[in-house]
Amino acid sequence: MNAALNHHAPLLGPAVSLMAGVALMTLWPVHWPVLPLLAAFVVLTMLVSRWPLVQTLLLMADFLLLGMLTVQRQPPPVNPQMSAEAVVVSEPVEKPKTIAVDLLLPETGQRVHRYLWKDEQSRTLRLGDALILNNVGEGYVPRRDWQPGGDAPQRMGRIDRVRLNFLLWRHQLLERYRQMPMEDEAYAVLAAMTLGDKSALTAEVRETYSVTGASHVLALSGLHLGIIYMLLSRLLMGRRRFWLSQVVIVVCIWAFAFLTGLSPSVVRSATMISIYAIFSVGGRGRSSLNLLAFAAFVILLLDPASLFDVGFQLSFMAVLSILLFMPLVERHCPVGHGLLHWIRDMVGVSVAAQLGVAPLVAFYFGRFPTYFLLTNFIVIIAAPFILYGALLVVVFPSLGEWLGVVVSILNKALGWIAQMPYSSIEGLHPSVIQVCLLYAMVLLIYLITSLLSNAKYRSS
């Protein structure tokens, strides 16, 4: 990591060290207590202030140990043999032979994903229902091992109760969507894009969005929250009570995050926007890389397992790549305002994001979308119409038919791209080592380009 990057984003190194500690402790757990070692390293770090390089290395070790400690202090895995009461905290999804649900165990505060045998009783399950489990199980729960009932909802913690209330409100909005005259595929995409509910997405729709490189639009992230932030900023324009407008925006952003289920990508984006708003009130400079690193800190300290969530990895790497490469694009491709500026930014952001996620996409999904530029142009144009339209539909339900038409047009456009020759390169299955080498190559490209850019800037 070069000196300039470390100067502008001092939190990035500690964040990477924290991630390394989480990964190390998860993949190769140690059973001795990490806390005393962390305390000793912190004291040692303070004692070597006269040697900056040594202190920096020890500081990285401190955050690595903090990541290990975060994993070690997590509650133990759920005992599959124990009996417990649970609450349904996701929309039940009907599979060919089972009903898939997420369950919260109030006594331990843990969430588990389980498959219940599909019958008349399991089909009646709804969000917020209480269950009694004779055996928690490890994945599939036979019919004899569960029954409805219990008082688990009354024993939930305050935060879990708030989350459940937001999810119940989301369920009401989804029911309003279902009553609108639109195709099933349009409803599924609308529910995923605006409320984070992917339960209605079919395999065909998922495949179309994956082949075209548009899967990110189905997973709520910075794109969606950025659009909402821009809308709220314009509605609350005016600096007379600027601090109050930023408070309202932050509250609305987090309300939306709770409404959509608090996925890691949404929490990351909401945290970045919140810190950005706080710094705006104070009139201080803002480093986007620092905001990204701080968001990673918050997510991993609360839930270290998020590091292994595919959505978190894709979201973090896409934003990191954009923040690294876009300044270089802006410096080497200066254009005026207007259409050319918008096209430059669109191409730059799309290519930068693809550089960041391509190794992970190849690793998890075995493909590379070749028409991602065309796809992103279509998605960026359609996404604001769909998000703003969803807000209008809540107030004016009669507009639902028109919103369904817009989503259907998006689906058909992406379906057309998916049918184009060589729409994606298939059969890519790099190993973990190969993925690491690919990211080392991307980092090397950034460092060389940055050094050349700085040399050219000094000479001019």
Side-chain angles (χ1 to χ4, degrees), residues 19-20 22-24 26-27 198 216 219-222 263-269 292 295-296 299-300 303-322 352-365 430-432 435-436 439:
M19 293 180 188
V22 170
L24 185 65
T26 303
L27 300 176
K198 299 181 182 180
H216 62 281
L220 293 173
S221 60
S263 67
S265 58
V266 170
V267 172
R268 188 265 307 160
S269 302
L292 177 63
I299 294 172
L300 294 177
D303 183 15
S306 297
L307 181 63
F308 299 95
D309 180 82
V310 178
F312 173 85
Q313 295 175 12
L314 292 173
S315 176
F316 184 87
M317 293 308 302
V319 175
L320 177 62
S321 185
I322 290 170
Q354 205 63 39
L355 272 175
V357 303
L360 286 175
V361 170
F363 179 76
Y364 286 113
F365 307 108
S431 65
V432 174
V435 169
C436 293
Y439 276 118

Side-chain angles (χ1 to χ4, degrees), residues 25-308:
M25 192 64 171
T26 303
L27 300 176
W28 297 285
V30 295
H31 302 290
W32 41 264
V34 177
L35 183 58
L37 184 61
L38 174 60
F41 265 73
V42 170
V43 173
L44 189 59
T45 302
M46 293 187 292
L47 293 177
V48 297
S49 58
R50 297 174 60 183
W51 298 280
L53 179 59
V54 176
Q55 189 178 45
T56 299
L57 294 175
L58 286 174
L59 187 64
M60 295 302 102
D62 292 341
F63 283 101
L64 186 140
L65 290 171
L66 178 61
M68 296 176 65
L69 178 65
T70 304
V71 175
Q72 194 175 66
R73 295 177 69 88
Q74 291 296 298
V78 175
N79 181 4
Q81 303 300 323
M82 76 174 187
S83 59
E85 295 190 8
V87 183
V88 178
V89 291
S90 70
E91 297 286 342
V93 179
E94 187 170 338
K95 303 290 184 179
K97 295 183 179 180
T98 60
I99 301 292
V101 292
D102 290 329
L103 301 175
L104 172 69
L105 310 179
E107 290 190 5
T108 63
Q110 293 170 287
R111 294 168 183 265
V112 295
H113 187 71
R114 293 294 182 262
Y115 297 88
L116 310 180
W117 179 255
K118 185 167 64 175
D119 56 16
E120 291 302 320
Q121 185 159 280
S122 60
R123 282 195 181 99
T124 63
L125 284 177
R126 296 293 180 266
L127 182 69
D129 285 354
L131 303 180
I132 299 176
L133 301 170
N134 299 326
N135 288 293
V136 174
E138 295 179 323
Y140 169 67
V141 180
R143 176 66 190 88
R144 65 179 182 274
D145 286 340
W146 73 275
Q147 61 185 7
D151 61 347
Q154 286 72 42
R155 293 189 283 110
M156 294 171 60
R158 182 175 299 177
I159 298 297
D160 288 324
R161 194 174 294 120
V162 169
R163 291 183 65 174
L164 180 59
N165 288 334
F166 270 98
L167 292 176
L168 290 171
W169 185 25
R170 181 177 75 168
H171 180 77
Q172 295 176 5
L173 294 175
L174 290 172
E175 288 298 324
R176 182 172 296 185
Y177 282 177
R178 288 189 182 95
Q179 296 171 7
M180 296 175 185
M182 66 176 70
E183 299 173 355
D184 291 342
E185 291 185 351
Y187 161 79
V189 172
L190 180 63
M193 282 187 64
T194 61
L195 294 174
D197 178 57
K198 299 181 182 180
S199 59
L201 291 172
T202 62
E204 292 77 10
V205 172
R206 292 177 184 269
E207 179 71 8
T208 296
Y209 277 73
S210 176
V211 168
T212 57
S215 294
H216 62 281
V217 80
L218 297 178
L220 293 173
S221 60
L223 170 66
H224 306 78
L225 266 67
I227 292 172
I228 295 173
Y229 178 80
M230 290 174 58
L231 174 64
L232 293 173
S233 297
R234 297 196 177 191
L235 291 176
L236 300 173
M237 190 177 296
R239 304 186 66 86
R240 192 171 186 180
R241 292 179 179 261
F242 181 68
W243 66 271
L244 181 59
S245 67
Q246 296 304 301
V247 170
V248 172
I249 288 174
V250 169
V251 170
C252 290
I253 289 293
W254 280 103
F256 180 75
F258 271 88
L259 183 66
T260 56
L262 289 177
S263 67
S265 58
V266 170
V267 172
R268 188 265 307 160
S269 302
T271 303
M272 289 185 67
I273 290 175
S274 300
I275 302 300
Y276 183 93
I278 292 171
F279 283 5
S280 297
V281 172
R284 297 180 178 272
R286 299 171 293 274
S287 168
S288 297
L289 283 171
N290 268 336
L291 298 184
L292 177 63
F294 183 79
F297 267 112
V298 172
I299 294 172
L300 294 177
L301 290 177
L302 293 176
D303 183 15
S306 297
L307 181 63
F308 299 95

Side-chain angles (χ1 to χ4, degrees), residues 342-420:
W342 181 80
I343 292 175
R344 191 278 310 270
D345 286 352
M346 271 294 306
V347 173
V349 168
S350 298
V351 173
Q354 205 63 39
L355 272 175
V357 303
L360 286 175
V361 170
F363 179 76
Y364 286 113
F365 307 108
R367 60 163 50 113
F368 176 80
T370 55
Y371 299 127
F372 65 89
L373 275 177
L374 177 59
T375 296
N376 283 336
F377 271 96
I378 294 174
V379 165
I380 290 298
I381 294 173
F385 282 101
I386 294 173
L387 287 173
Y388 296 158
L391 293 174
L392 289 174
V393 163
V394 173
V395 183
F396 306 105
S398 58
L399 298 176
E401 183 175 359
W402 294 101
L403 182 59
V405 170
V406 174
V407 179
S408 295
I409 292 174
L410 173 62
N411 289 344
K412 290 177 181 177
L414 295 181
W416 173 71
I417 295 175
Q419 297 300 321
M420 292 172 63

